[in-house]
Amino acid sequence: MFDAAIASAQPAVCIPPHLPKSPRGRLIVVGAGKASAAMARVVEDNWQGPLSGLVVTRYGYAVPCKRIEIVEAAHPVPDAAGMRAAQRILELVGNLHEDDLVLCLISGGGSALMPLPAAGLTLDMKQQVSRALLASGATISEMNCVRRHLSAIKGGRLGAACFPAQVLTLLISDVPGDRPVDIASGPTVADPTTCADALSIVRRYGIEAPREVLEHLESGRGESVKPGDPRLVSAKVRTIATPQMALEAAAGVARAAGVAAHILSDAIEGEARDVGKVLASLALQVAERDQPVSAPCVLLSGGETTVTVRGSGRGGRNVEFLLSLAIALEGHGRIHALAGDTDGVDGQEEIAGAYMSPDSLARARVLGLKPRDMLADNDAHRFFTALGDSVITGPTLTNVNDFRAILIEGE
């Protein structure tokens, strides 16, 4: 099921039906995200006319292209390579004409991969804010609101820079709700949020931001491109792959195997350990009482949970969810689960997620592991690595967010 979810969001599947007609002028391809290089390769393979451009992707996610330059940069904390790429992207779309077309390829991870500090701010300041946000428990929507207002390229600014050229943005969504403004912080779409909203988020989570960042937000200098801006009149957006599509592909695998599949939601948010407890309760109700559905079945969900890192572990929202789920299930004999990030990276680890079996807790205790202590320490990656139950995919070249499957066997 996990493989099917990832396969459904591969650029080779979802890009070709959405390629535009050849413009009268030039085609410039730009983009950012973990899938952007793979997206660029598909564009090259399916485009007959001339084109040029540059996209930036995560280290290790490059795909060779002949006409579109591929740059690798850091994720989730941005680096200088990403900043230089962002500056070059802005230069590429400068001085275009109305007959030209900018094809913008955007996927999850683009916020970190295309950093360009607003005037008066530095990369170091953005790195400091990014690290604090990642550990704060803020939702992806909240984090991206702050990022938009500290940027010279996000929040519609890239789209505005393309004017008067036509702009078509193809999005692979990795955010709950599939809101274009939240995917890579919306570089080509209007942003209804404000500096005041961003400042409120910084204060709500106690983010220790540099003085220059706070002053930038307080002054309103970081205001983004707003709805109705005439520079975005020729900018169009198409969402070509989503978490819901991936879950439906997974459900098809289960049904083909004769197991009922129920998609709970493609947009679950909240603390990962809390979501684990809630879904454990639901799974137990199914297993023991055949409510609200009967076993055998699989419960599927997506979205993006959060981890507030308070311990010395490395976090990872999918493994933290899974360890919390395992503790709440207490080794129930008929419940299995898998949770993973469809981009192949859970948190800051080169591990997609993990698998939980009915005997996971028992095997862990034989090894001397203390599940509850490890959950409290945000150390779930070490827990599942010790069991040999990590799920490692390598770069998947796509990103449609978290995947969770809870399989409940019949009696």
Side-chain angles (χ1 to χ4, degrees):
M1 289 186 289
F2 189 41
D3 289 345
I6 292 170
S8 74
Q10 287 299 311
V13 174
C14 55
I15 288 273
H18 297 282
L19 286 175
K21 295 180 180 178
S22 297
R24 288 194 294 268
R26 295 182 293 162
L27 176 68
I28 306 296
V29 180
V30 298
K34 295 172 187 174
S36 63
M39 296 169 81
R41 176 61 178 269
V42 174
V43 172
E44 277 198 359
D45 290 346
N46 290 272
W47 191 262
Q48 301 302 315
L51 59 82
S52 62
L54 182 154
V55 304
V56 56
T57 192
R58 191 179 191 267
Y59 290 119
Y61 283 59
V63 175
C65 291
K66 296 179 179 178
R67 294 175 285 172
I68 301 169
E69 183 180 353
I70 307 299
V71 175
E72 292 181 302
H75 179 280
V77 178
D79 69 357
M83 183 175 69
R84 290 191 295 268
Q87 183 61 57
R88 291 182 59 201
I89 286 172
L90 276 186
E91 293 168 358
L92 277 175
V93 302
N95 301 314
L96 296 180
H97 302 286
E98 60 184 16
D99 288 340
D100 297 327
L101 172 64
V102 177
L103 181 61
C104 193
L105 308 175
I106 296 295
S107 63
S111 290
L113 292 165
M114 194 168 55
L116 190 60
L121 304 181
T122 66
L123 178 62
D124 182 69
M125 293 174 190
K126 292 201 72 173
Q127 289 171 328
Q128 182 177 334
V129 172
S130 291
R131 290 190 184 96
L133 284 169
L134 287 166
S136 70
T139 67
I140 187 63
S141 179
E142 291 170 327
M143 286 193 282
N144 285 352
C145 176
V146 175
R147 288 163 167 162
R148 286 193 296 272
H149 292 92
L150 303 180
S151 175
I153 196 168
K154 302 181 183 76
R157 295 177 181 88
L158 175 58
C162 295
F163 183 80
Q166 306 290 309
V167 179
L168 173 61
T169 301
L170 301 183
L171 297 173
I172 294 181
S173 173
D174 71 324
V175 299
D178 305 324
R179 295 177 296 273
V181 74
D182 283 331
I183 304 169
S185 298
T188 61
V189 298
D191 173 27
T193 66
T194 65
C195 281
D197 295 326
L199 188 61
S200 175
I201 292 165
V202 168
R203 289 171 173 163
R204 183 181 314 143
Y205 291 96
I207 303 299
E208 294 185 5
R211 175 184 55 81
E212 294 88 345
V213 167
L214 297 176
E215 199 275 331
H216 181 79
L217 296 176
E218 290 168 349
S219 68
R221 287 200 310 274
E223 212 49 83
S224 50
V225 179
K226 295 292 178 264
D229 192 297
R231 294 172 295 175
L232 298 182
V233 67
S234 297
K236 298 179 180 178
V237 176
R238 295 180 189 168
T239 304
I240 61 173
T242 67
Q244 177 66 21
M245 294 176 188
L247 293 174
E248 288 173 356
V253 171
R255 290 165 186 154
V259 177
H262 306 283
I263 297 175
L264 304 180
S265 172
D266 69 336
I268 292 178
E269 297 182 89
E271 280 287 331
R273 63 181 61 192
D274 295 338
V275 174
K277 292 177 184 177
V278 171
L279 293 193
S281 297
L282 180 57
L284 289 169
Q285 189 75 6
V286 173
E288 298 302 322
R289 303 187 185 280
D290 281 335
Q291 294 175 332
V293 295
S294 299
C297 68
V298 62
L299 308 179
L300 297 168
S301 63
E304 183 162 341
T305 60
T306 53
V307 174
T308 303
V309 179
R310 296 187 175 92
S312 60
R314 298 271 292 172
R317 59 184 184 263
N318 287 285
V319 289
E320 180 141 329
F321 156 81
L322 203 59
L323 181 52
S324 175
L325 179 83
I327 292 169
L329 291 175
E330 297 181 334
H332 192 285
R334 293 186 286 113
I335 302 178
H336 307 248
L338 183 148
D341 198 317
T342 54
D343 66 4
V345 180
D346 189 30
Q348 300 183 53
E349 300 289 336
E350 301 298 318
I351 297 172
Y355 163 70
M356 183 215 78
S357 62
D359 65 350
S360 290
L361 293 186
R363 288 188 291 126
R365 288 169 180 140
V366 169
L367 295 174
L369 302 178
K370 298 181 178 179
R372 293 182 186 277
D373 291 349
M374 296 181 82
L375 179 62
D377 203 30
N378 305 116
D379 204 13
H381 268 305
R382 188 166 66 90
F383 178 89
F384 288 106
T385 298
L387 294 181
D389 288 342
S390 296
V391 173
I392 301 174
T393 62
T396 64
L397 306 181
T398 192
N399 186 8
V400 283
N401 224 322
D402 296 342
F403 172 91
R404 294 178 291 270
I406 302 173
L407 176 63
I408 306 159
E409 295 178 305
E411 292 190 63

